[in-house]
Amino acid sequence: MSMPRLVDRHPELGSDELVAALTPPPRFDEVRFDNYVPNPAEPSQAAAVAACREFAAGIARPASGGASWLRSLFGRGGRNGHSDGLPGLYLDGGFGVGKTHLLASLWHEVEQPKAYATFVELTNLVGVLGFNEAVRRLSGHRLLAIDEFELDDPGDTMLVTQLLSRLTDAGVRVAATSNTLPDKLGEGRFAAVDFLREIHAMAERFRVVRIDGPDYRHRDQPEPPEPLDEDELAERARTTPAATFDDFERLCAHLQRVHPSKYGRMVDDVAAVHLSGLHTVPNQGVALRVVALADRLYDRAVPVRVSGEPLSALFGEEMLAGGYRKKYLRALSRLTALSRELATS
């Protein structure tokens, strides 16, 4: 009997489903501010929790006094020189310091209507709905939470800056995470100097909160498990309920035929993914698709086993030195964490 394969899945997702799906991934269903454990050696982590709590409380408070709500929303000043009245909160830090935990906790703290999306999911939503319809659907929200904020090309720069401008002007508060300060987004990926005005205009809407610390996923075992041999991988896939088994080369080809907005649906009911013949991806187009799949697997806590080359070889040296370096390193961090979940089973 043949084993289930991801390459046999061709999910469909309508616009209403895309909007309804703007919630934190299942991995973060139970996260809250109270169960975020700051590293005592990294005081910025406790400070970030306090900033997120304050931001959530600000969304819950009505505007006070005779000033207009929008004027108070964009007002400058605040304690310790912070622009506490800004409509945006930006959590900047490295991998595995708990940025997504805090962003999801903030989302859980705020009453509906609200939306939570990765940056890619947000741009996909605008692509499906159209800009004006996306603004219409989101402008009544109290909060838009955006995880892993990224600007990969000039089109995305203009799209996101215009979207956030329209939404914040309508009263939507925005919280985001990234590994890059908002006025540095896009550097190394395109001619950012040509778009500085747009990038800086967006950055001015955010209060930046830095979160320092090492990647918690790598505190004990920085390296992924060794690849299995082909026969052992196939046997593990056969004996793991609801698992899939795919040739890595064929899966890469399949990912290019399926829109990334559908990757989550493609792996929704998968208990474990087994990839045969893993190798370095051949080009950046495939690499970015693999990154998107890694993100959806991580969102759903789907463990991964591989044969062939180790996960550390997934992206070549040239890719890791290029403009998408942080994106590829995030994918490696997440896939390494997922592979450890099955390493001893």
Side-chain angles (χ1 to χ4, degrees), residues 237-258:
R238 274 192 292 268
T239 57
T240 302
T244 59
F245 181 87
D246 285 87
D247 174 78
F248 183 68
E249 183 76 21
R250 292 182 180 179
L251 178 62
C252 288
H254 183 62
L255 293 178
Q256 295 180 81
R257 295 189 291 267
V258 177

Side-chain angles (χ1 to χ4, degrees), residues 199-277:
I199 293 172
H200 289 166
M202 181 180 64
E204 289 174 357
R205 297 174 183 262
F206 288 92
R207 170 186 170 186
V208 176
V209 174
R210 176 73 188 178
I211 310 176
D212 296 311
D215 188 334
Y216 76 92
R217 293 177 294 251
H218 290 182
R219 287 172 189 167
D220 300 319
Q221 292 179 288
E223 296 298 326
E226 288 296 316
L228 302 175
D229 65 44
E230 296 292 334
D231 291 339
E232 184 178 3
L233 183 74
E235 180 61 23
R236 296 287 187 96
R238 274 192 292 268
T239 57
T240 302
T244 59
F245 181 87
D246 285 87
D247 174 78
F248 183 68
E249 183 76 21
R250 292 182 180 179
L251 178 62
C252 288
H254 183 62
L255 293 178
Q256 295 180 81
R257 295 189 291 267
V258 177
H259 194 276
S261 65
K262 301 175 182 178
Y263 289 1
R265 177 65 59 85
M266 187 167 67
V267 300
D268 264 346
D269 59 349
V270 175
V273 165
H274 296 74
L275 302 177
S276 172

Side-chain angles (χ1 to χ4, degrees), residues 162-202:
Q162 291 174 17
L163 179 66
L164 294 187
S165 176
R166 292 279 295 275
L167 294 179
T168 53
D169 286 349
V172 181
R173 304 297 290 270
V174 178
T177 73
S178 186
N179 305 306
T180 307
L181 291 171
D183 62 344
K184 302 297 183 183
L185 287 164
E187 287 190 356
R189 300 177 186 174
F190 59 88
V193 66
D194 296 333
F195 298 89
L196 283 178
R197 181 167 55 186
E198 287 80 6
I199 293 172
H200 289 166
M202 181 180 64

